[in-house]
Amino acid sequence: MSDKKPVYLTAEGKARLEQELAYLKTEKMQQIAEEMGRAIAEGDLRENAGYDEARRAMWQNNSRIAELEDILSRVQIVESGNGVPTEVQIGVTVALETATGQRMNVTMVGSHEADVFSGKISNESPLGQALMGKKVGDEVHVKGPKGSQTYVVVELLYA
């Protein structure tokens, strides 16, 4: 058994990684092989920039394939629940309110799906860690680069 920690993903997140892996193993690998073939056909490989670039692309592609295979081997799918969640967990959208009355929604996801610009925060981020396990009405204090911020959990929904 591996001592690596599990990777929490939604079913959609896992499907995206599987699609990327399939692309890298087929189309991308074929493109690199064609580039390498053209470079080899040019002759002397010692001073062949095209060949060096193709080798670099192959190394990067193989590294990403290995990374994706590792991630996918540790995936634990987070199922969306029914009804209303009772506490913050991965797969839950949290409505927060600041002391000044500003509201914002964030959806808790695993670190490989985090995307701050679309409101998806990692359970490993400072705010994500502070929110995990909280219930409606709970206050959360988070220290950030601009000082400390206090939020109140006002609503929980399944993403």
Side-chain angles (χ1 to χ4, degrees), residues 5-158:
K5 61 185 180 179
V7 175
Y8 298 102
L9 292 174
T10 61
E12 298 84 39
K14 181 181 182 204
R16 273 195 304 278
L17 293 183
E18 288 171 337
Q19 287 171 346
E20 181 185 352
L21 181 60
Y23 166 77
L24 294 177
K25 284 183 159 184
T26 56
E27 291 177 50
K28 185 70 174 175
M29 193 72 79
Q30 183 64 35
Q31 289 170 3
I32 293 168
E34 289 169 6
E35 290 169 23
M36 196 168 277
R38 280 192 293 276
I40 289 171
E42 291 174 10
D44 190 356
L45 297 180
R46 287 174 295 181
E47 295 181 21
N48 187 322
Y51 179 73
D52 291 342
E53 187 57 38
R55 279 189 33 218
R56 193 172 9 264
M58 182 169 282
W59 181 85
Q60 289 171 335
N61 193 55
N62 288 341
S63 294
R64 181 65 177 156
I65 287 171
E67 179 185 16
L68 288 171
E69 287 176 338
D70 176 57
I71 290 167
L72 289 167
S73 74
R74 297 182 284 134
V75 164
Q76 287 190 3
I77 297 293
V78 178
E79 298 291 337
S80 187
N82 297 318
V84 178
T86 57
E87 68 180 34
V88 177
Q89 57 190 322
I90 295 176
V92 170
T93 296
V94 185
L96 299 170
E97 193 169 289
T98 65
T100 60
Q102 281 186 297
R103 286 184 72 135
M104 68 180 211
N105 290 343
V106 293
T107 301
M108 300 296 295
V109 295
S111 60
H112 291 279
E113 279 186 277
D115 179 4
V116 175
F117 298 108
S118 59
K120 295 179 177 182
I121 65 166
S122 166
N123 62 314
E124 297 175 15
S125 68
L127 178 58
Q129 287 178 357
L131 285 172
M132 290 299 285
K134 296 294 188 241
K135 297 175 181 359
V136 171
D138 287 353
E139 273 193 11
V140 178
H141 306 284
V142 181
K143 285 186 168 67
K146 297 177 183 173
S148 189
Q149 182 71 46
T150 300
Y151 301 95
V152 176
V153 177
V154 291
E155 187 179 15
L156 300 176
L157 303 164
Y158 283 111

